[in-house]
Amino acid sequence: MKYKRILLKLSGEALMGERQYGIDPKILAEYADDIKQIHDKGVEIAIVIGGGNIFRGVAGASNGMDRVQGDYMGMLATVINGMALQGALEDKGMQTRLQTALKIEAIAEPYIKRRAVRHLEKGRIVIFGAGTGNPYFTTDTAAVLRGVEVDADVILKGTRVDGIYTADPEKDTSAVKFDYISFEDVLKKGLNVMDTTAFTLSQENKLPIVVFDMNTKGNLLKICEGENVGTVVHI
């Protein structure tokens, strides 16, 4: 396998499937199947999942809610998604651990780097919930931060589109896809891959990012086997 240890970033919105909000059990089961394929090949897997399907702090702030309060609500939403994904993975026979940046001992371990790494070494899938534990930071930033901390080989960002384009392919039919692009070129072209804090953190730590379509079955396995899927952002 090309990668020994990965950090998989999933969006909360992806869990909605065709629904307007919440979690679609069918999507969860499909994700669990894809993750099991690489788990069975010996890949060590850490996961960060967003909470946009339940609550988004920025949206709450735009409607008059206190931004800090809204962000903490968003962190709790990621814990709910993490628990749902944990259940789906365990239904498929995988061992998991949910670690959270906020202390919720009844349902999850507190995040401890050494413990997380040990779980990964033992073949357990570690899901990181509650973002960084701080308001004003996105789950993209949490994903890169945890990826750096546990010494992941790559950040795999699963989205609805199959890579990075010159423009939004859902709005511009003439948009051209990149197979490979450097961090520098992403910044020069003003492309939206992750928020600036997350992207800069990844660049500074020389941690490559692969943006791919998580909803296409088998893509995750293909990437880990070294096939050219999605877009690779490299140093």
Side-chain angles (χ1 to χ4, degrees), residues 129-201:
T132 65
N134 301 289
Y136 295 99
F137 291 93
T138 66
T139 49
D140 276 351
T141 301
V144 176
L145 177 63
R146 296 291 181 247
V148 171
E149 287 181 309
V150 302
D151 200 22
D153 299 322
V154 66
I155 302 290
L156 301 184
K157 181 170 180 175
T159 65
R160 292 183 304 175
V161 293
D162 62 343
I164 301 168
Y165 285 76
T166 51
D168 186 344
E170 293 178 352
K171 295 174 183 173
D172 185 352
T173 53
S174 64
V176 178
K177 177 176 172 277
F178 296 101
D179 289 331
Y180 296 92
I181 187 168
S182 68
F183 280 91
E184 199 175 322
D185 283 343
V186 168
L187 294 172
K188 274 183 189 172
K189 296 175 190 296
L191 302 174
N192 186 24
V193 177
M194 286 180 164
D195 72 80
T196 310
T197 306
F199 194 76
T200 305
L201 185 61

Side-chain angles (χ1 to χ4, degrees), residues 1 4 21 30 45-46 48 62 78 98 115 122 130 137 143 149 151 167 180 184 197 203-204 209 224 226:
M1 304 298 278
K4 184 176 187 296
Y21 59 88
E30 287 173 1
I45 307 159
V48 169
S62 68
T78 71
L98 176 61
R115 186 180 288 177
K122 288 184 173 181
F137 291 93
E149 287 181 309
D151 200 22
Y180 296 92
E184 199 175 322
T197 306
Q203 182 180 22
E204 286 176 350
I209 302 166
C224 290

